[in-house]
Each structure stands twice: as structure tokens, then as C-alpha cells.
Amino acid sequence: MVSLPILPTISTSFIILSAITMAIGWRQIKQKKREAHKKTMTLAGIFALAFFIIYETRTVFIGNTSFGGPENIKIYYTIFLIFHITLATLGAILGAISLYTGYKNKLAFHRRLGPITCIVWFFTAITGVAVYLLLYVFYRGGQTTSMIKAILGF
Ligand code: HEM
């Protein structure tokens, strides 16, 4: 059996949870359940934040892991990773604005932005899981270098 790294497995699980809760929240508002929608979307935001905190903590203290697969596909992995990071950044910004406009009752804007946020976040989650699989499951992860080690040089 492949042994999976703990922190990336936990943080990827949080992305999946936030995408699932967001899908539930979307369904709830389609059924006009406003209170339920608010609670579920807030939970989706908390899951996304949990992912981010774990991911960043690992990046600073343990490090990022390089791709351990074949050299000739490394470039495709890197392009895919950049695509995922771009989606995740966009998703985080849209998510924050969606939560804000929801809480502030700016609903005309919120209604237009909400579906875009959900779709961007679904793709963030799918590509995030793909990155995780490529990095740790399909291939063995490469070297891990921490930001602190990289900065301080030990
Ligand atoms: C990441 C967070 C959120 C996302 C992605 C999101 C997404 C959505 C979506 C997709 C819709 C349906 C738009 C439509 O098809 O008409 C919607 C509507 C709505 N959302 Fe959110 N939402 C979020 C957070 C919130 C929060 C925190 C609140 C309340 C505090 C809220 C309150 C509402 C209300 C009241 C509507 C109904 C608007 C209307 O029908 O006039 N949302 N949201």
C-alpha cells in the first residue's frame, strides 16, 4: 500500500469538503432555503480557510514537494499546477466577495457572482485533487524543501 503524506491528504480533503458544501448551498438557494444557504456557504468558507491554513503552514515549516514523475511530463505537470493555483486564487477572491455580498445583502450583485464562484471553486477542487494524485499517488513525490530552510539556508 502507498503511504500518503498526512498534511496534504488532510488539506486536499478540506478542498473536497468545501466543494461539496458549496454544491449543497447552491441547491438550497435554488429551493429558496435562504437561512440554510447562508449557513452552508459559511461552512464552505470555513473548510476552504482550513485548507488554506494547513497548506500555508506546511509550505512555511515543512515545504513544497517537487514532482517526482518522469522528466518528460514534468512541464505538463508544472503548467497544470500553475492553472490550478490561478483558479484557486481566483476562487478565494470570488468566495470572499460572495460571502461579503451575501452578508451585506447586496443581492443583485451576489446573484450574478454566486454561480461563477461555485463553478470556479468546483474546478479548483477537481484540479487540486488531480495535483494531489499526480504528486503523491500516481508517482512518488520528489524533494521537499521548506521555505524557512530555503531562506535560512540550512
Ligand atoms: C461563498 C459563498 C457563497 C456563494 C458561492 C453563494 C452562491 C449563491 C448562488 C449560486 C446563488 C443563486 C443565484 C441565482 O441563481 O439566482 C445565491 C443566492 C443567494 N445568496 Fe448566496 N452564496 C454565498 C454566500 C451567501 C451568504 C453568506 C449569504 C447570506 C448571508 C447568502 C445569501 C444569498 C441570498 C439571500 C440569495 C438569494 C438571492 C435572491 O434570490 O434574490 N449567500 N448565492
Side-chain angles (χ1 to χ4, degrees):
M1 212 187 108
V2 201
S3 76
L4 296 173
I6 293 173
L7 288 179
T9 306
I10 297 174
S11 64
T12 307
S13 307
F14 274 119
I15 303 192
I16 299 171
L17 280 176
S18 79
I20 293 172
T21 39
M22 209 174 258
I24 296 171
W26 194 350
R27 204 183 133 90
Q28 285 167 335
I29 200 64
K30 278 193 176 155
Q31 298 167 340
K32 310 260 179 280
K33 296 177 183 159
R34 286 190 173 199
E35 257 325 289
H37 170 75
K38 174 181 169 179
K39 283 191 189 138
T40 311
M41 287 309 197
T42 305
L43 186 63
I46 293 169
F47 283 144
L49 196 66
F51 153 74
F52 190 69
I53 291 170
I54 296 169
Y55 176 81
E56 280 305 315
T57 308
R58 179 174 184 268
T59 301
V60 173
F61 294 103
I62 301 172
N64 286 123
T65 305
S66 63
F67 182 61
E71 271 306 309
N72 60 338
I73 66 163
K74 201 168 181 168
I75 180 71
Y76 301 107
Y77 168 80
T78 308
I79 293 168
F80 189 70
L81 178 64
I82 292 170
F83 176 60
H84 165 70
I85 293 171
T86 310
L87 273 178
T89 309
L90 181 66
I93 296 167
L94 293 176
I97 302 173
S98 295
L99 284 168
Y100 177 80
T101 51
Y103 276 109
K104 291 280 171 188
N105 259 323
K106 297 182 191 300
L107 294 181
F109 188 67
H110 182 88
R111 275 171 78 175
R112 280 199 288 154
L113 192 68
I116 303 172
T117 306
C118 290
I119 288 162
V120 170
W121 198 247
F122 294 152
F123 279 104
T124 302
I126 294 165
T127 53
V129 171
V131 167
Y132 172 83
L133 291 175
L134 285 167
L135 205 51
Y136 302 108
V137 180
F138 296 159
Y139 305 103
R140 214 170 255 252
Q143 269 196 327
T144 303
T145 320
S146 97
M147 205 185 254
I148 287 186
K149 266 191 211 155
I151 294 169
L152 300 179
F154 61 81

